[in-house]
Amino acid sequence: MRLRTFYSTIVLSDIHLGTSNSKTVEVSNFLKTVNCRRLILNGDIIDGWALKRGGTRKWQAKHTDFFKVIMKMMEKQGTEVIYIRGNHDDFLDSLAPMTFYNIKIVKEFIHESHGKRYYVTHGDIFDTVTTKMKWMAQLGGVGYDFLLWANRIYNNYRMQHGLPYYSLSQAIKQKVKSAVSYISDFEKELVKFARARKCDGVICGHIHHPANTYYGDIHYLNSGDWVETLSALTEDENGNWDIVRYDEMQMDEHITNVPVAS
């Protein structure tokens, strides 16, 4: 029997269920290989903006299967699920805060572990584009969708010629000065807020840029996304955090014993 890797906490964000670019099968496969006491869904899990736009962005059975996997984790492992609203699933505003069974729907959360406090937020409230100019953010979303479409065409060509995957959008984020500046400013603003809240760290998503670093005394963590980076944040039993990437995982080999949460 294949053993699952156990983590104290797993953080996922920016899955964007309801879009053609969501790596839904991959994130479901990842969850089938792990156990955890707490699963934090840190915003933009469901892409309400895309579902409103319609077109080819339709809710599919694989999107429902993702939640079935989570329900099984809750039932079999006793996993606590924290769902934090993001800007693309802002339809949850009318529900938060709400608790039912083992799920909490909230706008923000304080994760306490090993004597440390982490402020958990999707991060969109620190982005003036999404908070003050929503129409521009939606326009940017359309542009990002186009870039991902072009990325698929380009990488199909590369695959046919035996070349490795290459992310156009990630390359742009790393090379375009304004994008690099935006990411840096975003991180610094979150760090300042976490410090003001007397927290030891901050956990966010939103910008699709995984990170595990320190700004002075504040631990900054970003879980990335399941559109391109296919990454998650994991916390082990000793409170150590790591970024796990799907393409680096040995999905068929798991050697960690699984304690089942009570």
Side-chain angles (χ1 to χ4, degrees), residues 38-50:
R38 173 176 286 170
L39 174 63
I40 299 177
L41 302 175
N42 197 8
D44 286 3
I45 305 303
I46 299 173
D47 197 319
W49 293 8

Side-chain angles (χ1 to χ4, degrees), residues 3-242:
L3 296 177
R4 294 169 176 251
T5 303
F6 177 79
Y7 298 105
S8 178
T9 308
I10 295 174
V11 184
L12 302 173
S13 68
D14 299 275
I15 301 174
H16 291 276
L17 298 174
T19 70
S20 58
N21 295 309
S22 174
K23 300 299 188 294
T24 314
V25 173
E26 288 82 353
V27 69
S28 295
N29 285 342
F30 165 66
L31 289 178
K32 290 175 183 177
T33 68
V34 297
N35 281 356
C36 62
R37 290 196 185 95
R38 173 176 286 170
L39 174 63
I40 299 177
L41 302 175
N42 197 8
D44 286 3
I45 305 303
I46 299 173
D47 197 319
W49 293 8
L51 291 172
K52 285 181 181 178
R53 289 199 299 267
T56 58
R57 302 170 181 84
K58 297 178 180 178
W59 192 265
Q60 300 178 23
K62 62 183 180 181
H63 301 143
T64 302
D65 288 342
F66 167 77
F67 287 106
K68 288 182 178 179
V69 173
I70 292 177
M71 291 172 68
K72 185 167 289 186
M73 292 175 69
M74 293 168 57
E75 178 186 355
K76 301 295 184 181
Q77 305 166 27
T79 301
E80 177 191 23
V81 178
I82 310 294
Y83 192 141
I84 299 167
R85 56 79 74 197
N87 51 305
H88 282 258
D89 44 19
D90 54 6
F91 58 85
L92 293 174
D93 278 341
S94 60
L95 298 177
M98 181 175 73
T99 301
F100 61 96
Y101 186 47
N102 215 21
I103 300 177
K104 293 180 181 177
I105 299 176
V106 294
K107 295 182 181 180
E108 60 181 9
F109 184 70
I110 299 296
H111 175 71
E112 299 187 60
S113 175
H114 296 270
K116 294 184 177 181
R117 287 162 42 90
Y118 286 84
Y119 175 65
V120 189
T121 175
H122 179 63
D124 58 294
I125 59 173
F126 298 90
D127 181 351
T128 57
V129 172
T130 57
T131 55
K132 297 181 180 179
M133 302 168 67
K134 187 173 181 179
W135 66 271
M136 184 178 290
Q138 292 174 327
L139 182 63
V142 173
Y144 183 59
D145 287 347
F146 174 78
L147 185 60
L148 292 176
W149 173 82
N151 194 62
R152 284 201 305 271
I153 300 299
Y154 178 57
N155 276 287
N156 284 339
Y157 172 84
R158 289 178 64 86
M159 185 173 61
Q160 291 169 6
H161 291 78
L163 298 172
Y165 179 85
Y166 181 81
S167 171
L168 291 174
S169 69
Q170 291 297 314
I172 289 173
K173 287 179 183 178
Q174 293 171 13
K175 294 180 180 179
V176 176
K177 184 177 180 180
S178 60
V180 173
S181 176
Y182 166 76
I183 291 173
S184 177
D185 291 345
F186 174 85
E187 293 176 349
K188 290 175 181 177
E189 285 300 313
L190 277 167
V191 165
K192 285 195 321 187
F193 190 82
R195 186 175 287 116
R197 293 287 296 267
K198 302 187 183 306
C199 289
D200 302 284
V202 60
I203 301 172
C204 63
H206 187 54
I207 59 174
H208 296 204
H209 189 77
N212 179 4
T213 189
Y214 277 86
Y215 281 86
D217 58 336
I218 302 297
H219 194 185
Y220 172 83
L221 294 159
N222 192 305
S223 50
D225 69 281
W226 286 83
V227 175
E228 286 198 276
T229 63
L230 280 66
S231 59
L233 287 172
T234 60
E235 181 191 29
D236 68 17
E237 287 274 62
N238 298 314
N240 300 310
W241 288 92
D242 194 13

